Amino acid sequence: MAESNGNSETQFQIPKIKFTKLFINGEFVDSVSGNTFETIDPRNEEVIARISEGDKEDVDLAVKAAREAFDNGPWPRLSPSERRRIMLKFADLMVENAEEIAALDAMDAGKLFVPVKNMDIPAAAEVIRYYAGAADKIHGTTLKMSRELQGYTLLEPIGVVGHIIPWNFPTQMFVMKVAPALAAGCTMIVKPAEQTPLSALYYAQLAKQAGVPDGVINVVTGFGSTAGAALCSHMDVDKISFTGSTEVGRLVMQAAALSNLKPVSLELGGKSPFIVFDDVDVDKVAPLALVGILYNKGEICVAGSRLFIQEGIYDKFVKKLEKMAKTWVVGDPFDPNSHQGPQVDKKQYERVLSYIEHGKREGAKLLTGGNALDRKGYFIEPTIFIDVEDDMTIAKEEIFGPVLAVMKFKTVEEVIKRANCTNYGLAAGVMTNDLNIANTVSRSIRAGVIWINCYFAFDPDCPFGGYKCSGFERDLGMEGLHKYLQVKSVATPIYNSPWL
C-alpha cells in the first residue's frame, strides 16, 4: 500500500459551508429545540460545522408542510411536462455546482473529490433526467371486463414520502429517492444520515432555485433514533423509503406497522460474492476484483467482499491482488493521487478494525494491510485475507470497509451453494468466458443484481435492490418510479354497447 502525503489545500480551496439549518416549507430554519450537532471531517477529525438537530417536533412541521403541498399545492397538479421542465433544471443546477457539492461530500464522507465531481454528480444528474423523462409516461391500463362494465386503472402518487438515506453515497442516494418521487407527483421529507448532512441541504436549495414549490422537498437533519424514528412512525406519512443496515431496516418496518401501516421499501446490507472461474484472463479480472472491494473505501452495500477463485488460477490471482494492493494509494480525498480516503467516522473506523482483528484471531491468513494508518484521520490500509473459511466472521458479516475475504473453490455446484450461504442477497459478480456457466450461475444465485464480466454496472434504467435480508422493492428503473405510485381501479356500467 502506498500513502499520499499531498497537501490538498494547495490544490483546491475548501468552500465555505452555506447551509446548516433544517429546510422546511422552502425555508432554512432552526430546529424547534435550538439544538445542533457536529459534522466531522474524517480526514482530520475536526468539526466542519454545527448542524441543526431535528427531532419529532421538526418532523411534524416538515410533514405538515409536505401534506399541505400534496393535498392543496401545485406539484401533484402540474402537467407532467411542467414537472419534467423543473426537474431538468434541477439536474442542470447540480452539474453547474458540481465542484462545490463534491467538496461537501469529500469533507463530510471522506469520498474522493475528483471522482465525485466528474462521475458521481453527473451520473446523479442523469438519474434526475431519466425520471424527468418518465413524468409524462405514467399511465394506467384499459381493462377488458367480463361483463357490461367499462374498466380502467389509474396510477396515482402515493402521497407524502419519507426518505431516509445513508452516509456512503450522499448524492446518489438523495437523487435515487427524490427523483422518482418528484416525477410521480409526491411530496417528501428527506432525513439524511447524521454523518453526511451537507449535500442534502445544498440540494434542497437547488431544487427551490429550479422551481420546485415550497413544501415539496423538506430536509430534516438529525439522528435516526429521534428524527428518523419520528418520520417512520408518523401517522401522516404515506410511505417510507429506507437505505441502510438490515438491523435498522427491521426497526423501520416495525414503526411503520405500529403506526398507519404505511408501505416500506428497504435497500439493506450485503455480503456479495465475486466469483472468478479459471477460464478468465487474470490480468483483466484481478483489477476488477480489487476495485470491487476497495471502491469508496469498501463503504458500499454491493462490495464484492467474498472473493471466490477457482483453484486452477487461485495462486496466480492472489499474487496479482497482492501486487496491486501495494500500489493502492490511501490519502487525502482532495489529493488526485489518492485511490482511497478515510472511513466516514470514528465508529465505522473502529468497526472495520475490529473485523480485521476477528480475521486474525479466527485463523485467516493476512495477505496485505491489516492496520490503521499512523496519521490523523480515519484511514485504514487495504486489507486482504486469503484461505478464508465460510464460517469465519469476516466471511459472514457485512464489514463495510476495505477488507476482502478470499476463498478457493473447485466446481460450479460448490460455488453456487457457498455463494448462497448468506442471509444477504444484494448483488453478485460472475467472471467467466463460458456462456453456459454464466447463465447457470446468474440464475442460481439468489441476489437482486448479477453482474457478468463487469462490476458496479449501475444505470438509471437498471433496477437495483435485494433478496432476503438485503431488502425488497427496487430503486432505479421504472420499478423505482412505480413504488411511489398506487393503482386505483375504476369501473362504470355500460349499456347497450355493441361490443364488450
Side-chain angles (χ1 to χ4, degrees):
M1 182 215 74
E3 181 178 348
S4 167
N5 295 307
N7 183 359
S8 64
E9 303 296 335
T10 64
Q11 301 171 41
F12 179 77
Q13 185 64 42
I14 302 299
K16 179 182 178 182
I17 305 303
K18 297 176 181 176
F19 309 110
T20 60
K21 297 182 179 182
L22 314 180
F23 189 80
I24 298 177
N25 205 24
E27 302 292 338
F28 285 103
V29 296
D30 291 318
S31 61
V32 171
S33 68
N35 292 339
T36 61
F37 65 95
E38 296 176 344
T39 185
I40 304 297
D41 189 333
R43 302 176 303 154
N44 50 32
E45 305 173 47
E46 296 176 1
V47 176
I48 303 170
R50 296 199 66 89
I51 309 297
S52 290
E53 181 182 340
D55 208 327
K56 182 181 183 303
E57 295 81 2
D58 305 288
V59 170
D60 288 342
L61 292 173
V63 172
K64 182 179 179 181
R67 173 56 62 193
E68 175 64 21
F70 184 77
D71 289 349
N72 301 305
W75 188 252
R77 295 156 190 87
L78 287 179
S79 68
S81 60
E82 182 64 9
R83 286 207 297 270
R84 179 178 67 235
R85 184 193 66 77
I86 293 171
M87 291 178 66
L88 291 174
K89 177 63 175 175
F90 185 18
D92 291 344
L93 288 171
M94 286 180 60
V95 175
E96 289 174 19
N97 292 274
E99 185 163 289
E100 187 170 357
I101 300 167
L104 297 180
D105 281 352
M107 284 190 290
D108 233 4
K111 297 177 69 67
L112 298 179
F113 170 74
V114 172
V116 172
K117 176 187 172 184
N118 294 338
M119 296 169 57
D120 289 11
I121 293 173
E126 283 304 306
V127 171
I128 295 180
R129 293 177 180 126
Y130 173 88
Y131 285 112
D136 61 356
K137 299 168 183 66
I138 298 170
H139 50 77
T141 56
T142 301
L143 306 176
K144 193 69 173 178
M145 308 288 269
S146 61
R147 51 199 180 97
E148 292 182 328
L149 293 169
Q150 176 185 348
Y152 59 92
T153 61
L154 299 171
L155 295 182
E156 299 185 341
I158 200 166
V160 176
V161 179
H163 300 297
I164 302 177
I165 61 176
W167 41 257
N168 57 329
F169 284 90
T171 286
Q172 285 92 331
M173 289 294 108
F174 185 95
V175 301
M176 283 169 65
K177 306 293 189 188
V178 168
L182 284 175
C186 295
T187 63
M188 63 211 72
I189 303 92
V190 180
K191 209 298 282 183
E194 58 266 25
Q195 294 90 341
T196 54
L198 296 177
S199 58
L201 294 170
Y202 198 102
Y203 287 133
Q205 64 85 28
L206 284 187
K208 179 170 182 174
Q209 187 178 338
V212 175
D214 293 347
V216 174
I217 298 177
N218 304 273
V219 178
V220 177
T221 51
F223 295 90
S225 59
T226 51
L231 192 58
C232 294
S233 61
H234 204 288
M235 295 294 291
D236 215 14
V237 171
D238 299 308
K239 181 182 176 66
I240 293 289
S241 179
F242 171 81
T243 297
S245 71
T246 300
E247 292 75 17
V248 177
R250 291 190 174 98
L251 298 176
V252 170
M253 285 192 70
Q254 184 180 47
L258 292 174
S259 52
N260 58 346
L261 279 174
K262 61 179 71 66
V264 172
S265 60
L266 302 176
E267 193 268 284
L268 307 175
K271 194 69 179 175
S272 300
F274 190 110
I275 303 169
V276 183
F277 289 91
D278 58 15
D279 62 345
V280 304
D281 184 332
V282 171
D283 290 335
K284 290 182 179 179
V285 176
L288 192 61
L290 192 69
V291 172
I293 185 62
L294 297 184
Y295 174 64
N296 202 50
K297 56 271 185 17
E299 293 174 348
I300 180 169
C301 52
V302 293
S305 53
R306 292 186 296 151
L307 176 57
F308 293 95
I309 307 171
Q310 199 162 19
E311 59 182 1
I313 59 169
Y314 183 84
D315 292 338
K316 181 179 180 181
F317 204 99
V318 166
K319 288 180 181 177
K320 182 69 174 179
L321 286 175
E322 182 180 20
K323 181 179 179 181
M324 291 187 301
K326 290 179 179 178
T327 65
W328 192 263
V329 179
V330 180
D332 192 313
F334 285 98
D335 186 338
N337 296 312
S338 295
H339 297 131
Q340 176 184 320
Q343 308 310 127
V344 71
D345 65 3
K346 185 177 182 180
K347 180 180 179 181
Q348 185 62 20
Y349 169 78
E350 293 176 345
R351 172 186 169 89
V352 174
L353 291 175
S354 73
Y355 274 108
I356 291 173
E357 292 307 309
H358 272 297
K360 294 175 181 176
R361 286 197 304 269
E362 293 179 6
K365 182 179 177 181
L366 186 63
L367 180 70
T368 64
N371 301 293
L373 268 62
D374 185 18
R375 61 181 287 180
K376 200 169 186 179
Y378 305 126
F379 298 91
I380 296 176
E381 295 176 337
T383 299
I384 301 174
F385 286 99
I386 61 173
D387 301 334
V388 176
E389 301 294 333
D390 292 333
D391 61 353
M392 291 181 178
T393 303
I394 60 172
K396 295 190 300 182
E397 298 183 13
E398 184 178 41
I399 299 172
F400 228 61
V403 182
L404 179 61
V406 182
M407 293 163 276
K408 184 188 298 184
F409 74 93
K410 293 183 179 180
T411 67
V412 173
E413 295 75 18
E414 173 201 344
V415 78
I416 289 172
K417 182 177 180 181
R418 293 172 68 188
N420 281 331
C421 189
T422 174
N423 292 328
Y424 297 110
L426 194 53
V430 181
M431 309 297 141
T432 179
N433 291 321
D434 188 317
L435 182 60
N436 291 326
I437 290 176
N439 285 334
T440 298
V441 176
S442 63
R443 284 161 172 75
S444 300
I445 291 179
R446 297 194 65 215
V449 183
I450 309 293
W451 291 309
I452 299 174
N453 294 331
C454 59
Y455 211 72
F456 299 140
F458 293 104
D459 187 86
D461 197 44
C462 186
F464 172 73
Y467 287 18
K468 301 188 283 186
C469 288
S470 290
F472 48 83
E473 292 201 343
R474 296 293 181 265
D475 288 318
L476 299 176
M478 292 304 286
E479 286 84 354
L481 173 65
H482 289 158
K483 71 182 182 182
Y484 299 109
L485 299 163
Q486 49 192 355
V487 179
K488 176 181 285 183
S489 298
V490 181
T492 183
I494 52 175
Y495 302 102
N496 303 317
S497 174
W499 50 269
L500 291 179

